[in-house]
């Protein structure tokens, strides 16, 4: 009579499944648990990690560990490292001995703090006296050029001596859109 070891049954996400972090930051640990067909933790099992962007394209670098062995509790951990492009990434852990057994976690990279406000349209207009300008567009980005969304931008008109005018919208600021953009017009 031969008794075999229990077969590996499953790998699941155990910690850090859905995270949102600023571009350039390191995620909290993302952990996976491997158990045998009896539900017991499996020690010493090799797990391969891979990372892909929202289009499904592989991301070559970006993981603290690309391969690790489970500990005595069946756990294995990695982290997403300092990605610069805002996107939702899929971190997949696959058993090295059975590529049909895998689990995935998601890490969303969002823009970091705003660093740059750039004029993207409508600059250098010649505006006849008594007429309003065309739209003037700005984009707010972080240090990695990711658009900063839902952020207040306060635009102020500083007239040259003797000239007057207003910006619309004016007052309390304008929120950036999903491309990090705001626009205004100069009213005569």
């Amino acid at each position: 009579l031969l008794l075999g070891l229990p077969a590996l049954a499953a790998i699941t996400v155990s910690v850090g499944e859905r995270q949102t972090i600023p571009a350039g930051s390191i995620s909290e640990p993302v952990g996976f648990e491997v158990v045998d067909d009896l539900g017991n933790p499996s020690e010493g099992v090799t797990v391969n990690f891979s990372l892909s962007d929202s289009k499904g394209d592989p991301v070559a670098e970006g993981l603290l560990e690309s391969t690790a062995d489970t500990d005595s509790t069946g756990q294995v951990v990695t982290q997403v490292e300092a990605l610069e492009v805002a996107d939702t990434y899929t971190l997949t852990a696959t058993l090295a001995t059975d590529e049909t057994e895998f689990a995935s976690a998601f890490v969303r990279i969002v823009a970091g703090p705003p660093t740059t406000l750039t004029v993207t349209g409508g600059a250098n207009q010649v505006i006849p006296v008594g007429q309003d300008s065309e739209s003037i567009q700005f984009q707010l980005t972080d240090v990695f050029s990711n658009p900063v969304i839902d952020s207040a931008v306060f635009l102020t008109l500083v007239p040259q001596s003797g000239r007057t005018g207003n910006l619309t919208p004016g007052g309390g600021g304008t929120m950036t859109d999903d491309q990090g953009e705001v626009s205004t017009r100069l009213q005569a």
Side-chain angles (χ1 to χ4, degrees), residues 114 133 142 149 186:
S133 75
D142 70 4
I149 63 172
L186 176 62

Side-chain angles (χ1 to χ4, degrees), residues 96-121:
T97 57
D98 183 358
E99 292 183 0
T100 65
E101 285 296 326
F102 62 91
S104 297
F106 302 95
V107 176
R108 183 174 175 230
I109 307 297
V110 295
T115 58
T116 308
L117 183 64
T118 306
V119 177
T120 59

